[in-house]
Amino acid sequence: MVRHSRITLRHLLAACSLLLPAAAFAASPDSSNAAKPNARDEPTPLVIAHRGASGYVPEHTLASYALAILQGADYIEPDLVMTRDGQLVARHDNELGLTTDVADHPEFADRKRTQEVDGVSLTGWFSEDFTLAELKTLRAIERIPDIRPGNARMDGSLEIPTLQEIIDLVKTMQLSERRRIGLYIETKHSTHFQQLGLAMERPLVRTLHRNGYAGRNAPVYVQSFEVDNLKTLSRLTQLRLVQLFGGGQPYDQQVRGSDLTYAKMATADGLKAIARYAAGVGPEKSYIIPRDANGNLGEPTDFVPNAHAAGLKVHPYTFRAENTFLPTNLRNGDEPSERGDIEADIRAYLDAGIDGLFIDQPDIAVKVRAQAE
């Protein structure tokens, strides 16, 4: 079994390397027939591969995205940060120590520093201190190796991809899979990068439009935990935007001295205000079904019906199969890395009326969706 899994991984990585040269044709706007169908034709609920198939392969790598597509995901989710030379690359955070082998590169030892990011003091290596060429010398590592030791076996084998490389992969695999595959992009730390003179909104829109992604029917969503950058994007493009919900207050609103909080945004009136600039909302799961005092799923809130009344799609995050992420009553034993009853978790949210979901194991959501049809 171990030998077979290693062969499969080698085949997957080889496939990724072979797909990219063919993308020169696929990446041209005129060749992307899959970008033309109307957004109303999308499956329901959408299966959004969270950082790719990150439950199986280290996140934000071409292998992770490719596996998610092969598992049937409708959209893959690249989180984007900026390099020192203004390039868009896929990392969950601009701090690189958790997801790359940068600490093993003595030539970059002097880049380690402490700075404030979104109001939090962080120590590490930051994407804005590296050129794209330098980042390409790094390799991805698993973010949570204790929970996903199988993923950690791939440490050191996968590069950090650029947005353009991800687009090329998607357009190539659309040809081989013969179906539409979408991009669900998150802009990370937008105020932080704006303050550094590395604002990502215009470069992002230019890249997407250049690749034929334009208009509300294009297979693209752009999401953010901040507010002002989404409003800026709404003036630059007609691509669909999604307001993410976390805890406390959006960082850009803190900087502005605003009293706008996620709790206020989650009210019926707050959701109506969001609908003026966004097509959907991405709440943390507890906004829809909170857990009770014992850690079990409680009763659904009015978030979904209020969002639908405002004309917004609802795509909650994040569904994960391992016990450590599941409600208490859906866990399988006491081992944090053991898989629990994620299928029941997904079904509860489908019953609550969601329109899509972010998941680390997209094959599971595809299977649950098929069973519900």
Side-chain angles (χ1 to χ4, degrees):
M1 177 62 73
V2 171
R3 180 176 180 273
H4 178 268
S5 67
R6 287 175 177 170
I7 292 173
T8 301
L9 173 60
R10 286 203 300 270
H11 287 171
L12 174 62
L13 298 180
C16 290
S17 65
L18 290 172
L19 282 168
L20 284 176
F25 168 76
S28 64
D30 291 341
S31 69
S32 182
N33 292 327
K36 295 178 181 178
N38 195 291
R40 290 191 295 268
D41 299 330
E42 290 182 333
T44 302
L46 283 184
V47 175
I48 307 155
H50 184 244
R51 312 178 196 175
S54 56
Y56 303 104
V57 181
E59 65 188 44
H60 294 311
T61 58
L62 291 183
S64 184
Y65 299 134
L67 179 58
I69 292 168
L70 292 173
Q71 290 183 339
D74 305 305
Y75 280 73
I76 60 169
E77 186 216 19
D79 296 337
L80 297 181
V81 299
M82 297 293 285
T83 67
R84 187 172 70 193
D85 48 349
Q87 301 298 307
L88 292 158
V89 298
R91 289 290 88 190
H92 178 256
D93 290 300
N94 61 329
E95 200 288 301
L96 304 171
L98 283 177
T99 61
T100 78
D101 62 357
V102 64
D104 298 330
H105 286 252
E107 68 273 26
F108 298 135
D110 61 351
R111 305 281 179 94
K112 187 175 185 179
R113 64 187 178 95
T114 299
Q115 70 165 335
E116 191 172 278
V117 180
D118 296 357
V120 178
S121 179
L122 295 176
T123 298
W125 294 263
F126 298 92
S127 66
E128 60 264 32
D129 296 331
F130 292 76
T131 65
L132 176 59
E134 290 171 332
L135 286 183
K136 282 295 187 179
T137 69
L138 306 181
R139 294 296 180 266
I141 62 173
E142 172 56 37
R143 175 186 290 273
I144 46 174
D146 292 343
I147 302 299
R148 293 172 177 166
N151 289 16
R153 293 171 58 206
M154 302 176 222
D155 285 359
S157 62
L158 303 168
E159 287 188 4
I160 298 174
T162 65
L163 174 59
Q164 186 61 57
E165 288 170 339
I166 297 166
I167 291 172
D168 292 347
L169 175 71
V170 164
K171 291 200 170 190
T172 301
M173 294 193 72
Q174 283 183 150
L175 298 177
S176 61
E177 293 291 292
R178 299 190 177 189
R179 66 183 178 90
R180 165 177 158 136
I181 300 161
L183 292 163
Y184 209 120
I185 294 167
E186 182 179 348
T187 57
K188 303 292 292 191
H189 312 299
S190 58
T191 294
H192 174 76
F193 285 117
Q194 289 166 10
Q195 292 170 338
L196 296 175
L198 291 170
M200 65 176 65
E201 289 79 13
R202 290 184 184 277
L204 172 60
V205 170
R206 282 197 301 268
T207 300
L208 292 171
H209 287 183
R210 184 176 67 242
N211 283 276
Y213 296 107
R216 296 182 68 81
N217 291 330
V220 173
Y221 289 91
V222 181
Q223 57 180 334
S224 177
F225 281 100
E226 297 189 16
V227 176
D228 291 341
N229 74 313
L230 287 177
K231 291 181 177 180
T232 296
L233 286 165
S234 73
R235 295 188 290 270
L236 298 175
T237 183
Q238 294 183 353
L239 292 168
R240 291 168 292 174
L241 308 177
V242 173
Q243 178 67 63
L244 294 173
F245 285 71
Q249 188 176 25
Y251 180 63
D252 63 317
Q253 300 304 299
Q254 294 181 37
V255 172
R256 291 183 55 180
S258 165
D259 63 355
L260 184 64
T261 64
Y262 289 117
K264 290 181 179 179
M265 295 163 68
T267 65
D269 287 341
L271 291 165
K272 290 176 184 177
I274 290 170
R276 298 189 187 108
Y277 62 87
V281 285
E284 194 277 326
K285 291 167 61 182
S286 63
Y287 279 88
I288 296 172
I289 307 180
R291 296 184 187 182
D292 63 22
N294 296 317
N296 301 322
L297 282 181
E299 295 299 317
T301 67
D302 58 3
F303 186 96
V304 171
N306 285 344
H308 285 166
L312 296 165
K313 297 290 187 183
V314 182
H315 301 156
Y317 68 90
T318 304
F319 291 81
R320 297 179 167 109
E322 294 90 353
N323 278 339
T324 193
F325 304 113
L326 286 168
T328 302
N329 58 316
L330 298 182
R331 295 174 185 170
N332 177 23
D334 298 323
E335 178 60 42
S337 62
E338 185 69 32
R339 284 198 175 187
D341 193 356
I342 185 177
E343 292 86 355
D345 195 37
I346 293 171
R347 286 192 292 268
Y349 283 84
L350 295 183
D351 290 344
I354 64 173
D355 305 292
L357 65 149
F358 290 85
I359 185 167
D360 288 5
Q361 295 91 359
D363 58 321
I364 297 176
V366 170
K367 181 179 179 180
V368 172
R369 179 174 67 185
Q371 292 170 342
E373 291 177 350

